[in-house]
Amino acid sequence: MSREELAARQAELLHALLAGGEPPPGFDPSRLKVEANVLRRKHGKVLAYQRPELAETLGERYGPLFAQFAAGRPKKATEHSHAYADEFVTWLIAAGHLPKPKRGLVSRLRRR
């Protein structure tokens, strides 16, 4: 298999895992779904580590809200986690899960 073919297959797999794409030939769709869920939870944990004040503010709502966000907006393979976290905060505010912050709070909830 050439490098180009391998890269294309890897891209298909990433698309299936991160963006809900069709499973590549030879992969078990149910197993990929399990792995995709594991990756979403991992992204949520990384985000909570990077933005502890956000996770603390949301408390027990954090996990379910992140899962809801991630289901509708999967993290792109090339996307930095800080940018993804910023989008999550924006989504939370737009959806009414967080109050519209005052000027100084926006920067604290977003990048530190």
Side-chain angles (χ1 to χ4, degrees), residues 2 19 79 107:
S2 73
E79 186 172 29
S107 60

Side-chain angles (χ1 to χ4, degrees), residues 5 9 18 22 25 29 41 46 49 61 68 71 80 88 90-91 95 97-98 100 102 105 109 111:
E5 291 170 327
R9 286 192 48 105
L18 299 177
E22 290 296 316
R41 282 194 302 278
V46 168
Y49 176 78
R61 299 181 308 144
Q68 185 180 350
H80 291 283
F88 180 45
T90 300
W91 178 86
H97 298 293
L98 287 177
K100 188 171 182 176
K102 296 177 181 154
L105 186 59
L109 288 177
R111 293 184 191 163

Side-chain angles (χ1 to χ4, degrees), residues 30-73:
S30 60
R31 186 66 191 154
L32 282 181
K33 189 173 188 175
V34 168
E35 294 300 328
N37 288 333
V38 168
L39 284 173
R40 277 191 216 98
R41 282 194 302 278
K42 181 181 174 185
H43 289 150
K45 288 179 182 181
V46 168
L47 194 147
Y49 176 78
Q50 291 174 334
R51 309 277 167 76
E53 67 283 356
L54 178 60
E56 183 179 314
T57 298
L58 293 171
E60 291 182 13
R61 299 181 308 144
Y62 177 83
L65 286 172
F66 182 79
Q68 185 180 350
F69 167 75
R73 170 47 179 90

